Amino acid sequence: MKKGDIVWGLLLASLLLLFVIPTTRDSILAASGAYPYLGGFIQFAILATMGDLFGKRIASGDYQFSSQVFLRAIVWGIIGCMVTLVFPVFMGGAGLAQAGKLLPFVGTSVAQAFFGSSIMNLTFAPAMNTFHRIMELWIETAAAKEPVSLKKLIGKIDWVAFVTFNWLKVGICFWIPVHTIVFLLPENIRVVVAAFSSIALGIILSFASKKGSRSTEATGKEAI
């Protein structure tokens, strides 16, 4: 364990403590309720970026700090604003569809949460994932002082791996069950819980990155 791991763990524990202590928790939730987009931005910018940093630490062995971290945090913050908007849209929409007999099990909160999570992760999430990936590539390309164009950024994406892993495996196996649970929670804590869950996603993606690197290395050796 490195010194950075201790610092990262202490920071996470401190953030969790803010939501355990009633006074600070109520203050944060009240502020987020008054300014929902700002709350979503800050929560995702901090927590999802922590997940990114820890994920890259697992994949590479070191924490990677640069100007890119700040830009990635801004992207995560924008995603936090998106999540703040779409959570009530999809959860409420699932309830309306049930009431209109377009979906079954009307009045069942678990079913509504599952339907809302499933529809969201099968429709909105792929677009959000693509936006996130393109922005990551833009940040990396600009840092490398290479020309940036949307066409080139789109061309850099391995679409088979991206769709298979991010859209299908992670979206269906991770986010649908996670967001089903999130939608069963009180509305005022859903966004922050989703932000905390993004830390777990960073770890999952890091292991996938390591696995992909080993597969590429093995393929290269076989080719030789």
Side-chain angles (χ1 to χ4, degrees):
M1 180 179 289
K2 296 185 177 182
K3 181 179 178 181
D5 296 329
I6 298 174
V7 173
W8 189 93
L10 289 174
L11 179 57
L12 177 60
S14 299
L15 292 172
L16 286 170
L17 194 60
L18 291 176
F19 288 92
V20 172
I21 300 173
T23 304
T24 54
R25 180 186 64 233
D26 293 344
S27 297
I28 293 172
L29 294 179
S32 296
Y35 305 98
Y37 286 120
L38 180 60
F41 184 97
I42 293 173
Q43 290 159 14
F44 267 80
I46 294 174
L47 294 168
T49 300
M50 286 182 64
D52 261 352
L53 288 171
F54 193 66
K56 288 179 172 59
R57 154 74 175 90
I58 294 174
S60 66
D62 294 300
Y63 289 96
Q64 300 174 11
F65 293 98
S66 67
S67 59
Q68 294 184 38
V69 174
F70 176 73
L71 294 174
R72 291 175 190 276
I74 292 177
V75 174
W76 274 119
I78 294 171
I79 290 174
C81 293
M82 295 180 188
V83 170
T84 300
L85 173 63
V86 301
F87 269 18
V89 168
F90 282 96
M91 185 60 173
L96 288 174
Q98 287 178 296
K101 298 182 179 180
L102 297 174
L103 290 172
F105 309 116
V106 61
T108 306
S109 58
V110 174
Q112 182 182 353
F114 174 74
F115 290 140
S117 175
S118 298
I119 297 170
M120 181 178 71
N121 283 289
L122 293 173
T123 57
F124 164 74
M128 187 201 71
N129 287 336
T130 302
F131 162 79
H132 189 201
R133 183 64 184 135
I134 288 175
M135 294 306 295
E136 280 189 325
L137 289 171
W138 175 75
I139 292 170
E140 294 169 2
T141 303
K145 300 187 184 304
E146 298 176 3
V148 178
S149 70
L150 182 60
K151 182 178 180 179
K152 288 183 179 179
L153 295 180
I154 293 174
K156 287 185 176 183
I157 299 175
D158 181 346
W159 285 101
V160 173
F162 185 66
V163 171
T164 302
F165 184 76
N166 292 65
W167 290 10
L168 301 180
K169 292 182 179 179
V170 175
I172 294 173
C173 298
F174 181 80
W175 281 123
I176 286 180
V178 167
H179 285 141
T180 298
I181 295 171
V182 169
F183 283 162
L184 290 171
L185 299 173
E187 188 174 352
N188 64 335
I189 65 171
R190 289 174 186 169
V191 173
V192 69
V193 172
F196 272 107
S197 68
S198 66
I199 295 176
L201 179 62
I203 297 172
I204 292 172
L205 294 176
S206 71
F207 280 114
S209 176
K210 291 180 71 174
K211 182 178 179 181
S213 297
R214 288 196 297 269
S215 299
T216 301
E217 183 180 350
T219 303
K221 289 179 179 179
E222 289 173 2
I224 293 173

